[in-house]
């Protein structure tokens, strides 16, 4: 069975920007309420308009495959195809 890890991520931006526009002026949190309260505090500290805070959400998923034996002669393209096929057939 595949081991699946899910992580909730909220990214907060300022001045009405999207994550792509924010440059280095953003932060990520695993919790919405924490993200919002910290963003409001940060906006006041940075003298930014707290009404221009935007919060975006995504889920980061990590899937662990079965172990595949390799050696110094392993063709990793074949290994990756084997692992991909494992998920495709699941």
């Amino acid at each position: 069975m595949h081991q699946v890890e899910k992580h909730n991520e909220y990214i907060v931006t300022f001045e009405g920007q999207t994550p792509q526009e924010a440059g280095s002026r953003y932060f990520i949190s695993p919790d919405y309420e924490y993200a919002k309260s910290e963003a409001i505090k940060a906006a006041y500290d940075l003298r930014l308009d707290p009404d221009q805070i935007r919060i975006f959400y995504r889920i980061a998923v990590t899937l662990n495959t079965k172990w595949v034996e390799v050696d110094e002669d392993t063709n990793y393209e074949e290994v990756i195809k084997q692992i991909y096929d494992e998920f495709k057939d699941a």
Side-chain angles (χ1 to χ4, degrees):
M1 178 171 272
H2 305 292
Q3 179 184 358
V4 178
E5 296 177 21
K6 299 178 209 168
H7 304 277
N8 296 313
E9 296 180 341
Y10 295 88
I11 185 169
V12 179
T13 64
F14 301 92
E15 299 176 319
Q17 296 180 327
T18 65
Q20 295 77 19
E21 299 167 330
S24 62
R25 195 175 269 190
Y26 69 90
F27 70 90
I28 297 174
S29 170
D31 179 79
Y32 178 86
E33 290 301 326
Y34 179 79
K36 185 176 179 181
S37 66
E38 290 300 307
I40 291 169
K41 290 177 197 174
Y44 283 118
D45 290 345
L46 297 169
R47 297 184 182 191
L48 301 172
D49 183 353
D51 292 330
Q52 292 294 309
I53 292 168
R54 294 177 74 185
I55 302 174
F56 298 85
Y57 174 74
R58 74 176 177 187
I59 299 173
V61 178
T62 303
L63 300 170
N64 294 318
T65 65
K66 296 176 186 173
W67 289 102
V68 177
E69 186 174 1
V70 296
D71 61 27
E72 62 273 356
D73 296 323
T74 297
N75 178 340
Y76 281 90
E77 289 180 15
E78 290 177 11
V79 171
I80 292 169
K81 183 183 179 324
Q82 180 181 346
I83 292 169
Y84 174 78
D85 289 345
E86 178 185 336
F87 283 107
K88 187 173 73 173
D89 296 336

